Amino acid sequence: MKTILTVFLLLIHFFAFSQVSLSEERASHFAKLALKCIHQEYPNKPGEVLGSDKDVKPVREYRPAFYGCFDWHSAVHGHWMLVKIMKTYPDLPEAEKIKSALDRNLTAANIAVELNFFLDSNNKTFERTYGWAWFLKLAEELHTWDHPKAREWETALQPLTDLLCNYYLDFLPKLVYPVRVGEHSNTAFGLAFALDYARSTQNKALETMIVNRARDFFLNDKNCPESWEPSGYDFFSPCLTEAELMARVLPDAEFTQWIEAFLPGINQGTPRIMSETARVSDRSDGKLVHLDGLNFSRAWALKHIAEKPGMNRKILLEAAEKHLNAALPNVADGDYAGEHWLASFAVYALSEIQIK
């Protein structure tokens, strides 16, 4: 009788959790947000270094592929989101609009202009490593999709993809200390997505570099100060993002030993970052709204960690679900401060958090 009750409770948990998924209805809603912003040039936060007067010109002239969505990285992960949605739901009502939008932006001619921008001596560090990581996630999504358009777009991106891989290989040996903040420059996040790309494409040089550097940076870490989280503008959890990376890097037994020292009590759900979701006081503030993204990134990090043998999958998935539910209603509240980027975080979290 006890066994039957246990199975029944697990089934209830399964079906309740599986409802938190990238449904076709949600995909359609999120696709509309990306289609709205990837060709919206203003408002815009360019972020480049100007070398002279001749560099002062509209963003679309030197970033013809990724000029929308307020900034370069948001445009990039908006494109990733559209690819992911089209790949997941090829018969979505917005499918033709998505294909047309990607055809317009992801061309060899446009990427050649983007490549020249990254080759400029003043901008070789542009978007390092957050934007680089999202670009490689876009390239990975195309690489793993068996579709003629995916081959066409992947080929168009390839020159910039190769350049950014080389930039990683050049930069990582020089990085003496990792960046542990909860925003764009977080080293663990930049390594995690790049590692996914390296493994999907069998780029052994990049994979080896990332694994070695992750060990250099994080292997001896203990007692992550999770009580300090979140900071005011976080969209990553420094503790959980690092743990998510190490779940990718370390063999199972080594990871179990590492995580118990790094986040004591994680299998009992005691860290506060598992039980308390982040709160946003003003979603019209482009920085404060980052905390909605934090709930999504915590959720996907917890899911990655939960998949490692020896982890308490039930507790970790319940914490992930709690963070997802806290953030999902806020993806589109009508303010561009969150609207231009938050859907990408939602789609990544929802696509990762599926019962397998």
Side-chain angles (χ1 to χ4, degrees):
M1 187 68 181
K2 184 177 179 182
T3 302
I4 294 173
L5 179 60
T6 300
V7 171
F8 178 70
L9 292 173
L10 285 172
L11 285 172
I12 290 176
H13 175 73
F14 173 87
F15 285 113
F17 192 84
S18 62
Q19 291 176 5
V20 185
S21 62
L22 183 59
S23 66
E24 186 170 354
E25 181 181 3
R26 281 192 175 122
S28 182
H29 170 63
F30 295 148
K32 289 183 178 74
L33 294 178
L35 288 169
K36 173 185 174 181
C37 85
I38 63 169
H39 296 134
Q40 178 177 331
E41 187 173 4
Y42 298 107
N44 204 301
K45 184 180 180 182
E48 75 275 5
V49 175
L50 302 176
S52 68
D53 285 357
K54 69 180 177 61
D55 293 331
V56 182
K57 52 189 174 184
V59 178
R60 64 184 177 276
E61 291 187 12
Y62 55 94
R63 293 187 212 142
F66 306 112
Y67 61 84
C69 298
F70 188 70
D71 48 34
W72 192 84
H73 56 258
S74 298
V76 169
H77 58 66
H79 285 73
W80 166 82
M81 181 176 71
L82 290 173
V83 170
K84 183 68 175 180
I85 287 172
M86 188 175 170
K87 184 177 175 180
T88 306
Y89 293 108
D91 297 323
L92 203 70
E94 293 77 18
E96 283 303 312
K97 289 184 179 178
I98 291 173
K99 183 169 74 69
S100 177
L102 295 177
D103 273 337
R104 174 178 166 182
N105 287 14
L106 303 185
T107 68
N110 284 347
I111 297 302
V113 178
E114 300 257 354
L115 181 72
N116 285 334
F117 173 79
F118 274 91
L119 288 171
D120 178 80
S121 60
N122 291 309
N123 289 292
K124 288 185 175 181
T125 64
F126 180 72
E127 291 283 358
R128 187 179 72 187
T129 57
Y130 181 75
W132 297 3
W134 272 111
F135 188 89
L136 293 186
K137 181 58 67 176
L138 169 60
E140 178 199 5
E141 204 65 58
L142 291 170
H143 183 77
T144 55
W145 186 18
D146 185 18
H147 190 284
K149 295 304 297 185
R151 299 288 71 72
E152 178 184 328
W153 295 327
E154 181 186 18
T155 300
L157 294 182
Q158 200 64 53
L160 186 51
T161 304
D162 292 341
L163 181 69
L164 294 182
C165 287
N166 288 334
Y167 276 6
Y168 264 105
L169 292 170
D170 179 66
F171 170 62
L172 290 178
K174 302 174 185 177
L175 185 63
V176 179
Y177 312 106
V179 180
R180 302 175 185 272
V181 299
E183 289 192 278
H184 306 85
S185 56
N186 182 282
T187 298
F189 172 78
L191 295 182
F193 272 20
L195 182 58
D196 290 346
Y197 171 81
R199 286 174 169 165
S200 293
T201 60
Q202 298 184 21
N203 186 329
K204 295 300 183 182
L206 183 59
E207 178 184 6
T208 300
M209 175 68 74
I210 291 171
V211 168
N212 288 344
R213 294 270 57 203
R215 285 178 168 274
D216 293 341
F217 293 143
F218 304 122
L219 189 60
N220 294 321
D221 285 358
K222 293 180 175 62
N223 297 311
C224 190
E226 59 97 14
S227 64
W228 294 5
E229 298 185 27
S231 294
Y233 307 150
D234 283 355
F235 52 82
F236 292 134
S237 159
C239 289
L240 289 177
T241 301
E242 178 178 333
E244 178 195 354
L245 169 67
M246 296 307 274
R248 286 168 163 86
V249 167
L250 298 179
D252 294 343
E254 190 176 4
F255 177 77
T256 300
Q257 183 177 7
W258 179 87
I259 194 70
E260 288 175 354
F262 181 68
L263 271 176
I266 188 171
N267 272 331
Q268 291 74 47
T270 54
R272 189 174 53 82
I273 53 176
M274 293 176 65
S275 60
E276 293 184 15
T277 60
R279 303 186 310 275
V280 179
S281 61
D282 181 1
R283 290 193 169 83
S284 67
D285 186 305
K287 282 288 195 177
L288 296 177
V289 77
H290 279 182
L291 291 162
D292 279 329
L294 173 63
N295 285 324
F296 283 128
S297 67
R298 280 183 178 178
W300 79 56
L302 287 163
K303 172 57 178 1
H304 275 279
I305 296 165
E307 292 307 302
K308 296 291 281 188
M311 301 307 298
N312 190 325
R313 192 169 186 268
K314 181 176 183 293
I315 284 179
L316 288 163
L317 289 182
E318 285 174 348
E321 181 182 8
K322 182 176 183 177
H323 281 80
L324 265 179
N325 287 333
L328 274 174
N330 307 317
V331 173
D333 64 354
D335 198 289
Y336 199 59
E339 194 178 76
H340 75 274
W341 68 277
L342 195 57
S344 299
F345 271 51
V347 168
Y348 185 72
L350 288 166
S351 62
E352 289 297 294
I353 299 178
Q354 305 285 348
I355 299 296
K356 296 178 181 178

